[in-house]
Amino acid sequence: MKIAGSTALVTGANRGFGRHLAAELVARGATVYAAARRPETIDLPGVTPVRLDITDPASVAAAAALANDVTLLVNNAGTDTHADVLDADHLDRVRLEMETHYFGTLSMVQAFAPVIAGNGGGSILNILSVLSWISLPASGAYSAAKSAEWALTNALRGKLAEQNVRVAGLHVGYMDTDMAAHVTQPKSDPAEIARIAVDAIEADAYEVVADDISRKVQAGLAGGVAALYPNLP
């Protein structure tokens, strides 16, 4: 896929990693729809702001009707509620994680895959996480939702390949964004991860493992529970 001359829609583009992705695409010559629930918060030059709530089917349908020239969809919008999976009072927050990362992503793909195919084909990039492969005690709900999104990404590849729509997933650890402001561990530069992601789209990659921690966890998957959770008694 050639980024220059393509038309992209990036969800959650008003801040954080989504804003960096939109900026990278603009810099490489793409026409970019920058989508957010509050489009008035989008301050990136050179993009077209779009109002979009990926958990609202009517909002998704309206965005697909408006951005009907898209050849690249980047599903970046997300949430991290810090829900405790064992706390019954947090069940609504757990559901929000799934509604956003799994059902929201699925809704976007259902709406935009026909658009991309009708425009001659293109790509979809789902922003996943190293936490789709491993779960931490404080991020169980987020990890479960990202793991579901990873499984969805795998399922979509074969379904859409025959329509000339490639589906890729990006795995990355903590990035230096507002969502990870509370994290004290090392964090990647989101601008650099955006560059890696866009390079991978242009190279027609199906999977992007963008940092050392993601590569380490991916390598540990074959070792099962003992390799991924060595501190279990």
Side-chain angles (χ1 to χ4, degrees), residues 83-173:
D84 184 339
V85 294
L86 292 180
D87 189 335
D89 291 336
H90 287 192
L91 190 56
D92 285 346
R93 287 157 62 180
V94 175
R95 285 198 177 100
L96 178 60
E97 298 280 6
M98 292 298 296
E99 287 291 340
T100 303
H101 296 114
Y102 182 81
F103 291 108
T105 297
L106 177 57
S107 180
M108 288 295 295
V109 172
Q110 288 176 340
F112 277 92
V115 172
I116 296 171
N119 289 326
S123 295
I124 296 171
L125 176 66
N126 294 336
I127 307 305
L128 305 174
S129 170
V130 68
L131 294 176
S132 60
W133 289 333
I134 191 170
S135 183
L136 303 177
S139 62
Y142 180 87
S143 294
K146 281 298 184 183
S147 184
E149 188 182 4
W150 175 45
L152 173 64
T153 301
N154 290 331
L156 290 169
R157 286 196 184 102
K159 296 284 287 184
L160 291 176
E162 61 189 24
Q163 300 178 39
N164 196 28
V165 179
R166 298 181 72 91
V167 180
L170 169 71
H171 296 270
V172 64

Side-chain angles (χ1 to χ4, degrees), residues 33-117:
Y33 295 100
R37 286 178 296 176
R38 296 174 55 211
E40 68 274 12
T41 63
I42 296 170
D43 61 357
L44 182 65
V47 303
T48 300
V50 175
R51 185 179 304 277
L52 174 62
D53 178 350
I54 67 170
T55 67
D56 178 358
S59 180
V60 171
L66 172 69
N68 59 11
D69 53 346
V70 162
T71 54
L72 169 62
L73 170 65
V74 182
N75 286 310
N76 166 75
T79 186
D80 186 2
T81 67
H82 304 286
D84 184 339
V85 294
L86 292 180
D87 189 335
D89 291 336
H90 287 192
L91 190 56
D92 285 346
R93 287 157 62 180
V94 175
R95 285 198 177 100
L96 178 60
E97 298 280 6
M98 292 298 296
E99 287 291 340
T100 303
H101 296 114
Y102 182 81
F103 291 108
T105 297
L106 177 57
S107 180
M108 288 295 295
V109 172
Q110 288 176 340
F112 277 92
V115 172
I116 296 171

Side-chain angles (χ1 to χ4, degrees), residues 163-220:
Q163 300 178 39
N164 196 28
V165 179
R166 298 181 72 91
V167 180
L170 169 71
H171 296 270
V172 64
Y174 294 121
M175 290 184 283
D176 192 9
T177 64
D178 290 346
M179 185 178 284
H182 64 288
V183 174
T184 58
Q185 289 95 327
K187 292 179 272 192
S188 297
D189 178 355
E192 174 64 12
I193 302 300
R195 184 192 63 77
I196 291 170
V198 176
D199 281 347
I201 295 169
E202 198 153 44
D204 291 334
Y206 282 118
E207 187 170 64
V208 192
V209 185
D211 59 0
D212 288 341
I213 185 64
S214 298
R215 286 185 282 271
K216 180 179 179 181
V217 172
Q218 184 190 47

Side-chain angles (χ1 to χ4, degrees), residues 216-229:
K216 180 179 179 181
V217 172
Q218 184 190 47
L221 289 173
V225 173
L228 294 177
Y229 304 98

